Amino acid sequence: MEAKNRYVGMSVIKKDAKALLAGKPLYTDDIAPKDCLIVKLLRSPHAHALIEEIDLSRALKVEGIETILTYQDCSQKRFTMAGQTYPEPSPYDRLILDQRVRFVGDAVAIVAGETEEAVDKALRLIKVKYQVLEPVLDFHTAKDNPILVHPEDSWKSLCPVGADNKRNLCASAQDSNGDVDAILADCAHVIDRTYHVKANQQAMMETFRTFTSMDAYGRLNVTSSTQIPFHVRRIVAHALDIPKSKVRVLKPRIGGGFGAKQTVVTEVYPALVTWKTGKPAKLVYTRYESQIASSPRHEMEVHVRLGADENGIFQAIDLYTLSNTGAFGEHGPTTVGLSGHKSIPIYSTPKAYRFCYDVVYTNTMSAGAYRGYGATQGVFALESAVNELARELQMDPTVIREKNMVHEGDLMPAYYGETANSCALDRCMARAKELMHWDEKYPCRDMGNGKVRSVGVAMCMQGSSISGVDVGSITLKLNDDGFYTMMIGASDMGTGCDTTLAQIAADVLGCDLENIVSHGVDTDVSPYDSGSYASATTYATGNAVINACNELKKRIIRLGAEMLGVSPEEADFDGKKVYAGEKEVSLQEIAYKGTCGNTLEMQVTASYSSQISPPPYMVGAAEVEVDKETGNIDLIDYVAVVDCGTPINPNLARVQTEG
């Protein structure tokens, strides 16, 4: 990137800020055709059952009902709804509709009609006879339980993640370095605790929604509020058992995602209706449906053994995670990995670590991706154990972390063997203590009114894309009159990536920000991008922007040099003109030349994938007030200090930190 940045590091206003304030952006339901069939799902009242009979006779007689689909109308090819790079680590354990229902709320039938009233009436008239089965509800007893959530032979796992449907295992693995048991046996202090993190549901403003239609060429067009347009194309094609060339996915404005929309939730149901009827169809989840049949955070139980010497220097960390994936395995194998790989590496002093996990199927709503994606659960457990160790040692919890935290240059065996080439965790801690006035408030203060105040602290780390997997891509085009269009494959979920990526492009190209027109995702024309998740967009897609800009600059110089009658080596480009000595030609002239009598394409596509995933780090400190009589707790103050590298847009980075 050029030394002088006009935009990178500046809090420029988001490109869509004024439109958002005026209520102008169009979301999925805003652009759905008026003649869309309304699609709704009949849901199971049982946690585990087999459908013996479905009587549709009365429901089909309702005026305005177009079709009612059951498991007998679906492909029997299993797939996963997890929006992950192929081959997906999540097992192929779903059908669009299945004879076996696996949780209360599981889809039993798809009803499509001309009006919502007709569909609602038809839903009430469907009669289903179930063979009710005993469910597996306690995830502690799920592994090797005689009751199987997925007994079917068509279940399969594409990746070696330790999955075994005949043991109710979605994933299982062990990772270690050093002799943990021997070292823990010699430790002066050992904290042995188990922490339970409940499932959390997310509630973005725009619920899950999709509309589908057939185009003039017999292709299925899927317009959806999603973080993963390219994965949606693959998943829908797998689910319907049709060629991927027959599916086109478009992503309009998204009204929030938080990770839930990294999973396909609504897409396959209207897609099947449209594929069967040829008519446009849409499914809009109610808020209730979004709560009971979507993609919450995984419930996890994390067992931590943390050993230290008499000075509080950590010697070994032993962590076992039991994760509840629910009825289906979306993100089960990957989320659990972060509970250890994004918590243990925060500390560099241990001589040994061990991280084991089991992810089990139960007859509850399936889980998925949610902010923090497994790291949240693991960090809560390990940081709680560190605080308990500090209390046992009567040591300031900030001091015990200062003794043990990872520093720049440290090797991180538990973080896939990467080195912390960029790490300001120590400075984050110092700044957090300063902002919290820690030394004045620790350990506690009696407020004299039956209440006490105290402070607490925790650290965490994340990553920047999935190393060796995620791909970010950009197509950049020089247009007549000298402006640029930038096709983005990543989904702007409100985070502002359409703006931050344009800031990067403007600085590399040396142009005004207004000269960069950003375009959202259409899988037919956008370059491939893994999607907006894993904190990947700024890092992976941002590097793709740099690559695309540098390549397009070479082409601009080459064409400009040709117009000047000099070699490209003699010419240079300053963002407004190509020049060689006293000769110069403007970008506008070059752009027009690109459209007339020219054989050099003034458009480039560039991709980027990283073999490492540089972690951002954070320290959070809280002050709370406790009523000693009632036990009531009030949050008095909270500070968060983040090492995120160079913030492209400080205001947007700050909003993310607050989030």
Side-chain angles (χ1 to χ4, degrees):
M1 196 173 291
E2 294 182 352
K4 291 184 179 180
N5 291 331
R6 292 175 59 202
Y7 296 108
V8 169
M10 300 297 292
S11 294
V12 301
I13 296 172
K14 283 174 61 179
K15 283 179 171 285
D16 57 358
K18 292 180 180 177
L20 280 167
L21 286 171
K24 290 182 178 178
L26 297 174
Y27 297 83
T28 300
D29 200 25
D30 296 324
I31 57 177
K34 283 191 169 67
D35 61 346
C36 265
L37 293 172
I38 303 300
V39 176
K40 292 194 177 188
L41 303 179
L42 180 69
R43 299 188 179 278
S44 168
H46 305 293
H48 196 194
L50 288 174
I51 299 169
E52 292 187 337
E53 294 178 20
I54 302 181
D55 183 356
L56 306 177
S57 56
R58 294 176 66 202
L60 286 169
K61 292 176 182 176
V62 174
E63 187 178 350
I65 291 298
E66 175 72 25
T67 188
I68 301 176
L69 304 172
T70 71
Y71 70 90
Q72 295 169 319
D73 303 301
C74 299
S75 161
Q76 296 302 298
K77 183 178 177 182
R78 295 199 177 267
F79 64 98
T80 177
M81 286 189 177
Q84 298 173 297
T85 299
Y86 183 86
E88 304 98 318
S90 298
Y92 278 24
D93 54 16
R94 275 193 188 263
L95 300 175
I96 299 178
L97 296 171
D98 203 330
Q99 187 175 7
R100 181 184 296 267
V101 289
R102 294 175 173 83
F103 70 97
V104 175
D106 203 356
V108 172
I110 306 169
V111 181
E114 295 172 1
T115 65
E116 189 170 1
E117 292 75 19
V119 172
D120 286 340
K121 184 176 181 180
L123 284 168
R124 292 192 297 271
L125 294 175
I126 298 174
K127 300 301 179 187
V128 185
K129 182 181 177 183
Y130 296 97
Q131 178 191 340
V132 179
L133 306 173
E134 187 178 346
V136 181
L137 299 177
D138 183 352
F139 76 132
H140 297 96
T141 63
K143 182 180 175 181
D144 293 324
N145 195 300
I147 300 166
L148 296 180
V149 179
H150 285 279
E152 64 273 5
D153 292 333
S154 57
W155 177 100
K156 64 178 179 179
S157 177
L158 276 63
C159 296
V161 294
D164 186 346
N165 62 316
K166 298 304 166 66
R167 300 182 63 197
N168 282 336
L169 276 177
C170 174
S172 181
Q174 175 176 325
D175 175 40
S176 62
N177 183 50
D179 192 336
V180 168
D181 293 321
I183 292 173
L184 283 173
D186 289 339
C187 285
H189 301 272
V190 176
I191 294 293
D192 189 331
R193 301 284 191 275
T194 300
Y195 303 92
H196 183 214
V197 185
K198 293 182 179 180
N200 299 134
Q201 187 55 292
Q202 42 204 316
M204 69 296 296
M205 286 190 288
E206 182 194 32
T207 62
F208 301 91
R209 55 196 58 197
T210 303
F211 75 83
T212 53
S213 61
M214 300 298 293
D215 66 19
Y217 306 101
R219 299 177 73 222
L220 177 66
N221 287 359
V222 180
T223 303
S224 191
S225 179
T226 180
Q227 299 171 222
I228 45 155
F230 287 92
H231 296 326
V232 168
R233 178 174 64 185
R234 179 182 68 247
I235 293 165
V236 168
H238 278 178
L240 272 62
D241 198 14
I242 62 176
K244 296 177 186 65
S245 61
K246 292 288 188 182
V247 182
R248 175 191 183 192
V249 178
L250 299 101
K251 177 218 66 89
R253 177 83 199 178
I254 303 178
F258 309 133
K261 292 173 183 175
Q262 193 194 336
T263 301
V264 165
V265 174
T266 51
E267 287 84 348
V268 296
Y269 304 110
L272 181 63
V273 169
T274 294
W275 192 253
K276 293 281 188 182
T277 67
K279 296 183 177 182
K282 77 171 179 179
L283 172 57
V284 176
Y285 267 17
T286 63
R287 179 62 63 192
Y288 176 73
E289 287 179 296
S290 293
Q291 293 295 300
I292 61 100
S294 59
S295 184
R297 177 175 282 149
H298 288 77
E299 175 187 25
M300 292 187 189
E301 190 170 89
V302 185
H303 179 203
V304 181
R305 291 197 298 160
L306 171 63
D309 64 17
E310 61 278 0
N311 297 314
I313 304 300
F314 299 169
Q315 302 298 303
I317 298 175
D318 188 14
L319 194 148
Y320 168 73
T321 302
L322 177 65
S323 177
N324 183 4
T325 193
F328 301 100
E330 276 85 28
H331 300 281
T334 44
T335 302
V336 71
L338 275 64
S339 69
H341 294 306
K342 296 286 177 71
S343 60
I344 299 171
I346 298 172
Y347 299 101
S348 60
T349 53
K351 298 168 186 169
Y353 79 88
R354 180 169 55 208
F355 171 42
C356 308
Y357 58 78
D358 289 312
V359 184
V360 293
Y361 285 112
T362 61
N363 291 114
T364 59
M365 173 174 41
S366 59
Y370 187 9
R371 290 187 101 166
Y373 198 86
T376 312
Q377 296 93 313
V379 166
F380 166 73
L382 183 55
E383 288 299 275
S384 296
V386 171
N387 283 336
E388 295 197 51
L389 176 61
R391 185 170 60 187
E392 183 175 302
L393 291 166
Q394 295 186 317
M395 186 180 291
D396 184 325
T398 64
V399 172
I400 199 170
R401 287 176 169 82
E402 289 165 347
K403 286 172 175 275
N404 292 285
M405 69 172 61
V406 66
H407 289 82
E408 196 164 295
D410 288 345
L411 181 68
M412 299 182 288
Y415 192 61
Y416 319 106
E418 289 189 23
T419 299
N421 291 318
S422 173
C423 175
L425 190 54
D426 52 350
R427 284 177 278 159
C428 289
M429 178 62 77
R431 181 63 174 145
K433 290 175 71 172
E434 179 186 343
L435 289 170
M436 184 52 75
H437 303 289
W438 181 275
D439 293 334
E440 301 167 25
K441 297 176 180 178
Y442 178 81
C444 65
R445 295 176 293 157
D446 193 321
M447 305 309 291
N449 58 355
K451 298 180 180 180
V452 292
R453 288 188 182 182
S454 186
V455 284
V457 68
M459 307 189 303
C460 70
M461 61 180 279
Q462 250 300 336
S464 303
S465 77
I466 304 172
S467 57
V469 174
D470 284 345
V471 174
S473 302
I474 287 291
T475 296
L476 190 67
K477 179 170 64 172
L478 175 65
N479 302 282
D480 50 355
D481 210 30
F483 75 97
Y484 303 93
T485 49
M486 186 165 67
M487 291 297 301
I488 300 172
S491 299
D492 191 333
M493 301 188 293
T495 52
C497 75
D498 287 358
T499 302
T500 54
L501 295 175
Q503 287 178 251
I504 295 170
D507 274 355
V508 179
L509 292 167
C511 69
D512 293 336
L513 188 62
E514 292 72 26
N515 250 31
I516 309 287
V517 178
S518 302
H519 274 283
V521 189
D522 176 342
T523 56
D524 272 6
V525 294
S526 301
Y528 176 82
D529 194 286
S530 304
S532 296
Y533 55 84
S535 303
T537 305
T538 302
Y539 181 65
T541 312
N543 273 296
V545 170
I546 294 171
N547 292 344
C549 291
N550 285 331
E551 178 57 33
L552 188 57
K553 281 170 65 175
K554 290 178 184 177
R555 297 192 182 198
I556 291 169
I557 291 171
R558 183 175 156 192
L559 184 56
E562 183 182 305
M563 294 169 71
L564 293 173
V566 300
S567 69
E569 292 73 24
E570 296 175 81
D572 207 347
F573 175 56
D574 66 4
K576 294 183 178 178
K577 63 182 181 299
V578 169
Y579 60 93
E582 297 298 316
K583 296 181 178 180
E584 64 179 54
V585 58
S586 71
L587 179 63
Q588 286 86 352
E589 292 174 282
I590 295 168
Y592 282 120
K593 177 61 179 173
T595 67
C596 181
N598 170 55
T599 57
L600 179 63
E601 177 60 59
M602 303 308 287
Q603 173 177 304
V604 298
T605 297
S607 296
Y608 182 85
S609 184
S610 177
Q611 296 307 304
I612 60 170
S613 179
Y617 296 91
M618 191 187 94
V619 172
E623 181 181 12
V624 296
E625 183 174 82
V626 182
D627 188 315
K628 290 190 289 185
E629 185 175 341
T630 66
N632 182 63
I633 299 173
D634 289 319
L635 179 64
I636 303 301
D637 194 11
Y638 179 79
V639 301
V641 184
V642 179
D643 164 25
C644 64
T646 300
I648 305 300
N649 188 311
N651 270 359
L652 297 182
R654 185 174 292 108
V655 170
Q656 285 296 298
T657 303
E658 291 171 0

